[in-house]
């Protein structure tokens, strides 16, 4: 059996053919043309799904379903995208549109939830039924998997873990609140904190590594400077690890997942990130509620969205 996973983004539509071993065996990428109507975008999507099936000699009977990961809010079972940021999708019945062209079951799910589902089924948390995947990137997103299924609340908009408040009256957030976790634990926050530290300590390795151009600061530079023994970079990172860890501990108190997975751009740091975060998170847990497993880094990278989308249908039956 095969599965089709679609990563619907504001710039591109990526259609992947996934096999029983959860591998993407082929992928076709087309521009979204996001200014167009949802009908036009979905017709293109259906055409590419057909194209990838034809290319591999597959018919509808060989394919379990089409799963579509989309930014914004979607009802998986009904196949409806309620809202998608950067796209002209408002209350669109995606299933009906796709089924005009292909006779397959069609499911939709938030893209971050898709990526989390993939890490739970066949990625860093393979074998675990209760998993939280935290995406540390421009912001902090993620997905909550309970009993092997995405948990997104009563109205499909839950799981916005980046907007739980870590500090009362703290840093302003794009959501309108102050002190949200993502203002401290995102890669963006780490870079901003590193810029402040580099400015205050012009003699530090952290400052010299960007050669006076603060805009060139990256998360990798902070980690590299810290590993080279720079005290300032180590202080910035230590604070960052605590910010990440306190949020992870909050999630552990609320949900007690079997494993917490850290994804997004920061996950490239692997154990440089997960070991200190595990240590600080564990120190926050009370007796009896200790983390049973260390925090892990995501392993599927950019493929997670397509693989998770492809598998959404298998978790809903
Ligand atoms: Zn927020």
């Amino acid at each position: 059996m095969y599965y089709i996973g679609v990563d619907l983004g504001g710039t591109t539509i990526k259609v992947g053919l996934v096999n029983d071993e959860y591998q993407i065996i082929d992928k076709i990428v087309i521009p979204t043309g996001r200014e167009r109507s949802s009908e036009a975008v979905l017709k293109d999507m259906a055409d590419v799904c057909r194209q990838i099936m034809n290319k591999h000699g597959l018919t509808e009977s060989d394919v379990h379903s089409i799963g579509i990961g989309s930014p914004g809010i979607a009802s998986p079972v009904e196949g409806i995208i309620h809202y998608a940021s950067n796209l002209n999708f408002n209350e669109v019945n995606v299933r009906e549109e796709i089924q005009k062209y292909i006779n397959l079951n069609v499911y939709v799910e938030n893209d971050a939830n898709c990526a989390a589902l993939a890490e739970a089924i066949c990625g860093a948390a393979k074998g675990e039924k209760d998993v939280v995947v935290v995406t540390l990137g421009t912001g902090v997103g993620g997905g909550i998997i309970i009993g092997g299924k995405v948990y997104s609340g009563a109205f499909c908009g839950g799981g916005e873990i980046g907007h739980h408040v870590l500090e009362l009256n703290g840093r302003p957030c794009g959501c309108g609140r102050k002190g949200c976790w993502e203002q401290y634990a995102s890669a963006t926050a780490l870079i901003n904190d590193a810029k402040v530290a580099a400015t205050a300590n012009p003699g530090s390795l952290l400052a010299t590594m960007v050669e006076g151009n603060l805009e060139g600061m990256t998360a990798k530079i902070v980690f590299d400077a810290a590993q080279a023994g720079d005290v300032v970079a180590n202080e910035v990172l230590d604070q960052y690890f605590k910010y990440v860890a306190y949020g992870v501990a909050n999630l552990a108190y609320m949900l007690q997942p079997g494993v917490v997975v850290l994804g997004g751009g920061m996950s490239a740091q692997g154990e440089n990130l997960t070991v200190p975060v595990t240590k600080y998170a564990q120190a926050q847990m009370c007796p009896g509620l200790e983390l049973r497993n260390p925090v892990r880094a995501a392993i599927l990278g950019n493929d997670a969205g397509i693989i998770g989308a492809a598998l959404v249908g298998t978790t809903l039956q």
Side-chain angles (χ1 to χ4, degrees):
M1 187 59 71
Y2 292 86
Y3 310 83
I4 292 177
V6 182
D7 182 353
L8 169 62
T11 310
T12 59
I13 299 171
K14 303 185 187 97
V15 177
L17 186 63
V18 174
N19 67 12
D20 273 333
E21 267 103 58
Y22 310 128
Q23 295 158 330
I24 299 176
I25 57 169
D26 200 0
K27 185 160 66 176
I28 298 175
V29 182
I30 59 168
T32 306
R34 69 183 183 197
E35 66 291 343
R36 299 182 300 159
S37 67
S38 59
E39 289 85 356
V41 171
L42 291 171
K43 179 177 190 310
D44 277 4
M45 187 189 291
D47 285 348
V48 176
C49 291
R50 175 67 70 192
Q51 190 186 336
I52 208 165
M53 287 166 65
N54 288 346
K55 190 174 162 189
H56 293 268
L58 304 175
T59 65
E60 272 92 334
S61 61
D62 302 309
V63 178
H64 178 277
S65 56
I66 298 173
I68 299 158
S70 153
I73 300 172
S75 291
V77 179
E78 292 78 13
I80 294 170
I81 293 180
H82 298 288
Y83 163 80
S85 31
N86 297 323
L87 290 162
N88 286 326
F89 278 60
N90 283 296
E91 301 301 332
V92 176
N93 191 320
V94 174
R95 173 175 299 151
E96 275 182 7
E97 284 299 318
I98 297 287
Q99 286 182 341
K100 286 179 184 173
Y101 311 101
I102 298 185
N103 184 25
L104 280 171
N105 281 322
V106 177
Y107 303 97
V108 292
E109 180 57 271
N110 170 271
D111 50 7
N113 288 342
C114 288
L117 184 64
E119 291 292 347
I121 292 177
C122 56
K126 185 178 178 181
E128 295 287 337
K129 291 289 180 199
D130 303 305
V131 178
V132 178
V133 178
V134 182
T135 311
L136 305 172
T138 311
V140 174
I144 298 168
I145 309 299
I146 295 178
K149 298 179 178 188
V150 170
Y151 177 80
S152 59
F155 308 106
C156 305
E160 291 294 338
I161 57 179
H163 299 286
H164 82 269
V165 168
L166 207 60
E167 191 168 325
L168 202 64
N169 291 318
R171 300 174 181 173
C173 183
C175 73
R177 308 184 82 189
K178 286 181 178 173
C180 287
W181 191 27
E182 86 167 20
Q183 296 306 318
Y184 302 86
S186 61
T188 311
L190 172 62
I191 290 165
N192 286 338
D193 289 348
K195 286 178 183 175
V196 171
T199 304
N201 299 277
S204 63
L205 182 59
L206 187 63
T208 54
M209 278 178 76
V210 294
E211 296 169 344
N213 174 23
L214 281 181
E215 293 314 304
M217 185 68 76
T218 63
K220 183 175 186 301
I221 286 176
V222 189
F223 276 90
D224 288 350
Q227 270 156 29
D230 185 50
V231 174
V232 174
N234 272 300
E235 283 174 359
V236 170
L237 265 189
D238 199 56
Q239 183 72 23
Y240 176 76
F241 294 146
K242 285 179 185 164
Y243 284 141
V244 176
Y246 279 50
V248 166
N250 291 347
L251 293 167
Y253 275 111
M254 283 184 265
L255 299 165
Q256 199 178 44
V259 174
V260 175
V261 176
L262 303 181
M266 298 298 299
S267 63
Q269 289 297 331
E271 290 188 346
N272 294 335
L273 174 71
T274 57
V275 169
V277 167
T278 300
K279 180 185 75 173
Y280 285 132
Q282 193 68 280
Q284 290 295 307
M285 304 308 295
C286 67
L289 291 180
E290 296 88 350
L291 306 178
R292 305 287 181 98
N293 287 302
V295 173
R296 298 178 191 164
I299 59 172
L300 297 175
N302 292 331
D303 287 344
I306 287 176
I307 297 171
L311 299 176
V312 163
T314 68
T315 69
L316 297 173
Q317 294 168 342

